Amino acid sequence: MNICFYDNSGMLPKENGDISIDRVYCLDFHVFSESIWEQLGQVYLALPHPIMKENQCPAWFGEEGASSHYLFASVEPSGLQIVGEPPREQWAAWEDRFHAELAKYSFPFFEC
């Protein structure tokens, strides 16, 4: 499965070993059905350290502004934006798992 994504900014390393993430996965939300949205929800829950609160963006590790390590997803016209500042090792494990979970389904992507 070809998982299309781009970075809005380079993954910038921080002095404390964290990295700054601003990545967009080119999921084509315009053609998502109810069942595909449910599959995306299952992907979210399968990822390390999920924090799911009603009416808030899905998050992992912690919450922006409330903890030093965080990662969250936001549905945007350009795709699924992943933003955060996790430790490099946590990001690598999270990203590997995210790609593996996406590959379990047939999510519609557009070329990016």
Side-chain angles (χ1 to χ4, degrees), residues 4-8 22-26 78-82 112:
C4 190
F5 65 86
Y6 62 90
D7 292 319
N8 283 324
D22 187 353
R23 175 168 285 179
V24 176
Y25 287 88
C26 300
S78 56
L80 184 67
Q81 185 173 20
I82 306 294
C112 55

Side-chain angles (χ1 to χ4, degrees), residues 25-40:
Y25 287 88
C26 300
L27 290 168
D28 190 355
F29 295 123
H30 296 98
V31 297
F32 267 43
S33 64
E34 185 66 32
S35 65
I36 296 174
W37 282 109
E38 289 172 11
Q39 290 170 353
L40 185 58

Side-chain angles (χ1 to χ4, degrees), residues 28-80:
D28 190 355
F29 295 123
H30 296 98
V31 297
F32 267 43
S33 64
E34 185 66 32
S35 65
I36 296 174
W37 282 109
E38 289 172 11
Q39 290 170 353
L40 185 58
Q42 293 302 310
V43 168
Y44 290 159
L45 291 173
L47 298 170
H49 308 284
I51 302 168
M52 302 297 148
K53 294 184 178 180
E54 193 171 330
N55 298 320
Q56 290 188 9
C57 292
W60 300 268
F61 307 117
E63 297 178 62
E64 183 180 28
S67 58
S68 59
H69 302 120
Y70 66 93
L71 198 63
F72 67 86
S74 177
V75 172
E76 303 295 337
S78 56
L80 184 67

Side-chain angles (χ1 to χ4, degrees), residues 5 7 9-13 19-23 88 91 95:
F5 65 86
D7 292 319
S9 60
M11 285 196 238
L12 305 173
I19 57 174
S20 182
I21 306 293
D22 187 353
R23 175 168 285 179
R88 182 180 301 278
W91 166 250
E95 183 184 35

